[in-house]
Amino acid sequence: MVLGSGFQHALTLLDVAVEIPYGQLPGFMSVGVSGHAGKLVLGHFGKVPVLVLKGRTHFYEGHEMDRITFPIRVLAEFGIRSLLLTNAAGGINRKYKAGDFMLLEDHINLMGTNPLRGPAHLGLPRFVDLTRVYDLKVNEILKKAAKQTKLRLHAGVYLATLGPSYETPAEIRAFGRLGADAVGMSTVPEAIVARQCGLSVAAISCITNLAAGLGSGQLSHSEVLAIAEQKKGAVAQFLKSFCELYAKS
Ligand code: HPA
């Protein structure tokens, strides 16, 4: 799993075996966003072995797409079969409240580029089918885990922007009309690369704020981190429960 903003403190129930800072892993980049740890963690949720990328690099930091998606290709080469991506997002759907969660049923890529742009990858498809990016079976397990742990989990469409500025209220109105339920600045590159590598993919957003123009105040990264901090206990339970249900399935 990849832990983004909103999920950095979600490992309290993980029995950690090994932690390796990204700086010690060839090709991995140190993480530049406050609130992101930047290390690979190996451990167990109960009896279930889990590999966690704690913190990610973002396209808005100025790196090329192939650099920010490199860890996904490495893990795919090492033989992982399933990937859970997490992120913080602004809620566009009027039913969403700060502190809710959303599993991704689909996405809209408005980052202005595609992580598969560039030379073809030998042995992998050039034109990747994205009809079903997010795995239906894994989504059902996520819903079950949310029920077990009483997490308010919606299901919707995530729209990815380049960032790093937050959106204008006019953009949020437009994104809502395009069919987006939440907006963020990550996840889509990793999801597309993971699908090219044949991994099953699921993704969860922590709705840390109402998107621009829908709430009362201004948006800030510290507000995003504060909501995430409040939710860490619930998220830890949820991830553990998900892993146990996933291993049984
Ligand atoms: N917009 C974009 N990215 C975000 C937001 C938002 O409102 N909240 C957390 N990440």
Side-chain angles (χ1 to χ4, degrees):
M1 46 179 81
V2 178
L3 299 185
S5 302
F7 290 82
Q8 290 298 299
H9 305 290
L11 294 182
T12 46
L13 298 175
L14 186 78
D15 293 325
V16 176
V18 188
E19 294 188 324
I20 310 169
Y22 290 162
Q24 291 177 18
L25 295 167
F28 283 51
M29 277 175 307
S30 301
V31 171
V33 186
S34 78
H36 280 246
K39 58 187 173 188
L40 184 148
V41 184
L42 289 164
H44 287 81
F45 272 126
K47 290 191 180 130
V48 186
V50 187
L51 193 158
V52 183
L53 295 176
K54 194 167 180 216
R56 61 155 62 84
T57 43
H58 299 79
F59 191 48
Y60 64 69
E61 292 173 68
H63 310 295
E64 295 304 325
M65 278 286 180
D66 55 352
R67 295 300 307 276
I68 66 173
T69 55
F70 179 74
I72 306 300
R73 293 196 186 278
V74 171
L75 299 187
E77 287 287 333
F78 270 98
I80 67 160
R81 292 201 303 269
S82 195
L83 182 69
L84 176 66
L85 300 163
T86 66
N87 61 52
I92 297 178
N93 187 314
R94 298 276 177 171
K95 293 190 184 127
Y96 296 5
K97 294 196 293 255
D100 288 354
F101 292 79
M102 181 188 91
L103 68 78
L104 275 63
E105 286 184 319
D106 206 345
H107 73 230
I108 298 171
N109 178 10
L110 284 190
M111 296 184 101
T113 186
N114 189 293
L116 306 185
R117 176 175 176 270
H121 284 262
L122 208 64
L124 296 180
R126 167 93 281 198
F127 303 102
V128 175
D129 175 44
L130 298 182
T131 309
R132 167 62 49 204
V133 178
Y134 302 96
D135 193 280
L136 282 176
K137 279 195 199 136
V138 180
N139 277 357
E140 284 311 307
I141 300 169
L142 286 165
K143 285 180 194 169
K144 223 186 220 177
K147 220 175 212 173
Q148 268 186 7
T149 55
K150 299 191 171 59
L151 197 84
R152 251 176 81 93
L153 182 67
H154 306 281
V157 173
Y158 174 91
L159 184 146
T161 63
L162 170 55
S165 61
Y166 290 111
E167 302 71 33
T168 64
E171 286 166 343
I172 292 302
R173 286 193 296 275
F175 295 169
R177 286 184 191 134
L178 287 176
D181 295 294
V183 60
M185 306 171 193
S186 69
T187 301
V188 162
E190 291 121 304
I192 294 174
V193 166
R195 289 304 299 140
Q196 185 188 38
C197 297
L199 305 181
S200 79
V201 177
I204 296 271
S205 297
C206 175
I207 305 296
T208 50
N209 56 280
L210 301 186
L214 300 180
S216 45
Q218 298 191 342
L219 305 188
S220 73
H221 189 55
S222 52
E223 171 194 16
V224 167
L225 295 181
I227 288 286
E229 174 74 21
Q230 277 173 30
K231 288 281 151 185
K232 68 181 178 189
V235 172
Q237 288 288 350
F238 167 72
L239 289 180
K240 180 168 189 229
S241 165
F242 165 71
C243 287
E244 288 171 350
L245 290 169
Y246 176 80
K248 272 192 220 148
S249 70

